[in-house]
Amino acid sequence: MAGLRLPSTVLGLLERRKGPPPQPSVSTTSASQPQSEASEDGQGPAVDDDLKLPKMASLAIILTSNVLMQHHQLTFFIIVSSSNEYAHYLGGTSTFSGLVIGIPTVFSGLALLPLMRLDQGGYKRPLHFACASAVVGNILYGLAYHANWLYLILLGRIVTGFTFTFWMYNKRYCSDPRIVGLRRRTTLAGWLVLGQGIGFSLGPFVGGLLSVISLPVRTKAGLTHFSCLFLHRYKIGFSNSVFNGFTSPAWIMAAIWAAFWAIAAVLYEDVPRAPPAPQSVALQQFTVKTASEDGDNKERESSGVTTTEAVGTTELPSVYRMTKRQWGVTVTMCWFAMTCFHILGAWEANIPVFTSSHLRSNPFHFTPFAAGNLIALGGACTIPFLLLNLHFARRVQDRHTLAMGTSIGLAGLIIALAILGEEEVNYGSLFICWFLVALGFNIASTVTLSLLSKQLPGAWNGRVSLAIQYSNYTGRVTGAVWGGAGVKVGMLSYVGMQVAFVGIGYIMFVTLWKHLKAKTG
């Protein structure tokens, strides 16, 4: 620890020799060591601003909400086995069932902008909104069977979709300069990605578990022959009109969310309303981009010391303009945010379709539950490596993590092309492909927001988080559609498109490689 304190002490002596400490409108951050601030009482240095973390109880609530937010994963895989039959039971079609599965993300995106106008820069209101939406949405989905009304399951899923607005707030919280230092953002993003891994592992497992419990659901006149076979074979749920195989996943998730809501209401403490610390406005580690009085952007290098000028306040100066390089970094991170979730969503949606198809390259003919178990196994095997990624996030640059993750994922895609082209698919080879894809692109998704938040002013954290979240939404929606269409368009074309996405990303970050450098941690 002495090695860490010495540079701060030396810098403090130099500042005393130069005169009084700088005003709040000017911030100075060492590129080699994090800056220490004076404590509020002026008695000594406070916690290093680059290493600060929010209160543990509040952070635990946010990270737990992220695991439940993979409720998109949990709900998708819990209901995917029964949603088609549920829709048929209530008089709908398979197309309607697909709409039920995919519609939450659409309404989440629509609700995000209005919610941001009401959040007051904090997280408590969005958290309560997400919990309430999850509880009400799942209750509506569960009541549709008893009410015998098809559109109630659609309405329930729409309301549940409002829950997913908190995805953006999860990311924003873990890069908020008011509570999270520069050297902690990638680590916290790693915890969010670990929640993703838990989500798409736990979802298929729970879905399979619910499919084999208790008594068969009572049938209804007019139920298709396939539906009767389905219910008889899997013996889902209890034989009543409220809690049964169709509705039990929704009731279970409603109870879990209600319990979490009560705990969050007691333990969660919102972030301070005060503006972020001045040093969080630093633009880059070694080079500062500021706007001169005549409006021209200028570049200033200061031998490892970064300074950013503010105009009378810690808010972002209105004259600030992003440089072309910063625009390039922003577009690159948004592209990878979209690509990672597009590929992950496509594989999650395609594995049940491909393994149940009649293609010559498919030797499996899996049930949805068997396909779900394959997805769960691949996700579970990534968890130890995602935990290992948390350890290395403090030591490895974000750009290296991005390159490593995309390379691992690309390896899985290339192997998939090879085995599909030769029609030599077996359980082991398909599992290896899915494992590499899940591991690689989950790791790559760790750094998209954290890297960008380190290169842009802290006052822009909200809009940066919004850009990354909409990129994630775009990837999720397009990935699910592309995965479902994989058998129809051809599996080689399906995987080839994903390789092209990664190739475009490679060109982007190779071109901007030296500008992607940011603080570790």
Side-chain angles (χ1 to χ4, degrees), residues 83-97 99-100 140-141 143-157 220:
S83 64
N84 189 46
E85 296 306 312
Y86 198 2
H88 278 290
Y89 178 87
L90 296 174
T93 63
S94 297
T95 302
F96 185 86
S97 172
L99 180 63
V100 166
L140 292 175
Y141 187 91
L143 287 175
Y145 187 98
H146 183 75
N148 194 27
W149 187 30
L150 174 66
Y151 291 98
L152 195 56
I153 63 176
L154 181 64
L155 180 61
R157 291 288 287 172
K220 174 182 176 182

Side-chain angles (χ1 to χ4, degrees), residues 5 48 75 85 90-91 99 108 110 137 149 161 241 383 393 402-403 407 424 450 479 486 501 521:
R5 293 171 181 167
D48 194 332
T75 300
E85 296 306 312
L90 296 174
L99 180 63
S108 175
L110 293 175
W149 187 30
S241 62
I383 292 176
L402 179 65
S407 298
E424 294 292 337
S450 62
F501 277 19

Side-chain angles (χ1 to χ4, degrees), residues 158 410 471 500:
I158 289 173
L410 181 61
S471 300

Side-chain angles (χ1 to χ4, degrees), residues 263-287:
I263 295 172
V266 174
L267 296 182
Y268 180 74
E269 182 178 335
D270 212 355
V271 298
R273 297 288 179 86
Q279 63 268 23
S280 65
V281 186
L283 302 184
Q284 292 187 10
Q285 184 177 357
F286 294 102
T287 304

Side-chain angles (χ1 to χ4, degrees), residues 95-119:
T95 302
F96 185 86
S97 172
L99 180 63
V100 166
I101 293 174
I103 203 167
T105 301
V106 176
F107 277 83
S108 175
L110 293 175
L112 197 54
L113 286 175
L115 183 61
M116 290 183 68
R117 294 181 177 272
L118 302 173
D119 62 20

Side-chain angles (χ1 to χ4, degrees), residues 18-161:
K18 292 177 181 178
Q23 298 299 319
S25 61
V26 179
S27 65
T28 303
T29 305
S30 171
S32 58
Q33 294 293 340
Q35 177 185 356
S36 295
E37 294 180 337
S39 61
E40 294 181 358
D41 58 6
Q43 297 299 318
V47 177
D48 194 332
D49 190 70
D50 276 0
L51 301 176
K52 66 183 177 182
L53 286 169
K55 291 186 176 180
M56 190 57 62
S58 298
L59 179 59
I61 292 294
I62 295 296
L63 295 177
T64 303
S65 74
N66 178 65
V67 176
L68 291 179
M69 212 63 60
Q70 301 312 314
H71 175 249
H72 174 78
Q73 303 288 348
L74 291 173
T75 300
F76 177 84
F77 285 114
I78 286 176
I79 73 168
V80 74
S81 308
S82 60
S83 64
N84 189 46
E85 296 306 312
Y86 198 2
H88 278 290
Y89 178 87
L90 296 174
T93 63
S94 297
T95 302
F96 185 86
S97 172
L99 180 63
V100 166
I101 293 174
I103 203 167
T105 301
V106 176
F107 277 83
S108 175
L110 293 175
L112 197 54
L113 286 175
L115 183 61
M116 290 183 68
R117 294 181 177 272
L118 302 173
D119 62 20
Q120 297 181 326
Y123 302 89
K124 182 168 288 187
R125 286 187 177 184
L127 179 60
H128 288 308
F129 177 72
C131 293
S133 300
V135 173
V136 174
N138 279 292
I139 290 175
L140 292 175
Y141 187 91
L143 287 175
Y145 187 98
H146 183 75
N148 194 27
W149 187 30
L150 174 66
Y151 291 98
L152 195 56
I153 63 176
L154 181 64
L155 180 61
R157 291 288 287 172
I158 289 173
V159 175
T160 303

Side-chain angles (χ1 to χ4, degrees), residues 285-323:
Q285 184 177 357
F286 294 102
T287 304
V288 176
K289 308 289 191 306
T290 57
S292 62
E293 294 181 356
D294 60 2
D296 296 330
N297 290 327
K298 292 185 178 181
E299 183 173 304
R300 182 171 61 215
E301 297 187 6
S302 53
S303 302
V305 177
T306 303
T307 61
T308 302
E309 297 178 2
V311 183
T313 178
T314 55
E315 295 292 332
L316 185 67
S318 59
V319 297
Y320 175 77
R321 294 291 184 273
M322 289 175 63
T323 66

Side-chain angles (χ1 to χ4, degrees), residues 186 389 393 396-406 443-444 446-447:
T186 304
N389 181 55
V396 178
Q397 290 185 20
D398 290 352
R399 57 178 179 171
H400 295 151
T401 300
L402 179 65
M404 179 185 68
T406 52
I443 289 177
T446 303
V447 303

